[in-house]
């Protein structure tokens, strides 16, 4: 336990790279596209050129549809209004049915599988095998279990982390939670501000004023959240 904690605390990753896991994953294509950004692994996805894609789609509940965030271009923030959400959730189902029906028509009419698949939407389920070492898996989990990750991929990451990795490697998981998952990173400017706060034995000004050296407003707001 002491050795594992030392290794993770000081980012000595080589021993973790010697441990390899292989997963069989089934997930919507739009989640798979996010997954593919993690390149330190080997993947083997089912081929729509070789196989007939199954009539299996991910359909969110209307209450799960999120409004576009006003501060984060790549994320959602809060629920969208109910009439729009209900209409959109139902339309997703209709469009998936129509797309798959047309896909089946083209297959039966003799259109090649590699071309017929182009009409299938991103909420279609795909499958792939994923081989990854434990170090890079923990890095993946740290990013995708974070509250800023998209909800759908976060559910997969939480399941892998809490139901598979934790039981298999309890000591490593404990250290991972302490030194990565439940920890935070500080920039040089944040460290300087924290040092100034700690050296100010008789507080002479509010904490936000110690952060004025951070000129970017968004970065300054994020630093204040860390300090609080």
């Amino acid at each position: 336990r002491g050795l594992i904690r030392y290794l993770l605390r000081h980012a000595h990753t080589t021993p973790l790279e010697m441990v390899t896991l292989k997963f069989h994953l089934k997930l919507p294509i739009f989640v798979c596209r996010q997954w593919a950004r993690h390149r330190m692994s080997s993947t083997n996805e089912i081929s729509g050129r070789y196989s007939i894609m199954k009539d299996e789609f991910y359909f969110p509940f209307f209450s799960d549809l999120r409004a576009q965030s006003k501060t984060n271009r790549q994320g959602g923030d809060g629920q969208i209004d109910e009439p729009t959400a209900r209409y959109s959730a139902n339309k997703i189902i209709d469009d998936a049915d129509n797309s798959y029906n047309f896909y089946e028509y083209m297959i039966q009419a003799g259109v090649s599988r590699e071309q017929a698949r182009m009409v299938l939407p991103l909420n279609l389920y795909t499958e792939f095998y994923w081989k990854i070492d434990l170090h890079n898996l923990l890095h993946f989990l740290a990013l995708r279990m974070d509250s800023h990750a998209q909800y759908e991929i976060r559910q997969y990451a939480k399941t892998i982390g809490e139901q598979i990795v934790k039981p298999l490697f309890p000591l490593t998981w404990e250290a991972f939670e302490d030194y990565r998952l439940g920890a935070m990173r500080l920039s040089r400017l944040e460290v300087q501000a924290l040092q100034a706060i700690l050296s100010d034995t008789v507080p002479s000004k509010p904490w936000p004023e110690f952060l004025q050296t951070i000129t970017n407003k968004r970065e300054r707001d994020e630093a204040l959240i860390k300090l609080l």
Side-chain angles (χ1 to χ4, degrees):
R1 179 176 180 273
L3 175 59
I4 289 174
R5 292 180 69 80
Y6 177 87
L7 292 173
L8 268 74
R9 189 165 65 250
H10 294 281
H12 297 318
T13 64
T14 306
L16 298 182
E17 294 171 13
M18 298 297 104
V19 182
T20 304
L21 298 92
K22 184 185 289 185
F23 299 87
H24 179 198
L25 295 157
K26 180 177 179 179
L27 66 178
I29 291 175
F30 74 90
V31 177
C32 182
R33 292 297 171 264
Q34 289 187 316
W35 215 289
R37 296 182 62 82
H38 300 270
R39 297 177 297 279
M40 300 303 292
S41 60
S42 297
T43 60
N44 186 16
E45 185 179 2
I46 187 173
S47 172
R49 300 181 68 190
Y50 179 80
S51 303
I52 300 295
M53 302 303 292
K54 298 177 182 177
D55 184 5
E56 296 178 333
F57 295 86
Y58 166 70
F59 298 125
F61 292 110
F62 77 91
S63 56
D64 291 332
L65 292 179
R66 302 177 291 276
Q68 175 61 44
S69 171
K70 292 182 171 55
T71 58
N72 184 350
R73 294 182 182 180
Q74 66 176 359
D77 183 19
Q79 290 185 320
I80 199 164
D81 65 275
E82 185 171 333
T84 301
R86 286 186 179 275
Y87 172 79
S88 299
N90 290 329
K91 195 70 166 63
I92 289 172
I93 296 174
D94 290 342
D95 284 357
D97 286 340
N98 292 334
S99 296
Y100 196 83
N101 288 338
F102 184 42
Y103 169 72
E104 283 189 313
Y105 163 79
M106 286 194 289
I107 293 293
Q108 293 170 6
V111 177
S112 65
R113 294 171 182 170
E114 65 181 3
Q115 291 182 306
R117 62 180 174 168
M118 73 176 71
V119 302
L120 296 172
L122 294 180
N123 62 327
L124 180 79
Y125 275 98
T126 185
E127 299 180 42
F128 68 91
Y129 286 97
W130 187 49
K131 186 174 71 172
I132 188 168
D133 66 68
L134 185 55
H135 164 62
N136 282 293
L137 176 57
L138 293 179
H139 179 65
F140 167 86
L141 294 176
L143 294 174
R144 296 305 183 177
M145 289 179 69
D146 186 89
S147 60
H148 296 92
Q150 184 169 332
Y151 171 82
E152 288 80 6
I153 196 171
R154 197 163 71 239
Q155 305 315 302
Y156 282 90
K158 288 177 63 178
T159 299
I160 290 174
E162 296 173 357
Q163 298 185 26
I164 298 176
V165 178
K166 182 178 180 179
L168 286 174
F169 312 102
L171 298 180
T172 300
W173 185 262
E174 177 194 42
F176 170 64
E177 285 187 314
D178 289 345
Y179 303 129
R180 183 72 188 273
L181 200 59
M184 67 175 64
R185 300 175 63 179
L186 298 177
S187 69
R188 177 180 62 83
L189 295 175
E190 290 169 342
V191 169
Q192 289 178 346
L194 183 59
Q195 289 172 335
I197 291 171
L198 294 176
S199 63
D200 192 15
T201 54
V202 180
S204 57
K205 55 185 178 181
W207 279 20
E209 293 187 22
F210 286 98
L211 301 174
Q212 295 309 308
T213 55
I214 304 177
T215 56
N216 182 278
K217 183 182 183 303
R218 182 170 181 177
E219 184 180 354
R220 188 166 61 248
D221 292 341
E222 292 173 354
L224 182 59
I225 291 173
K226 293 179 183 179
L227 293 177
L228 294 176

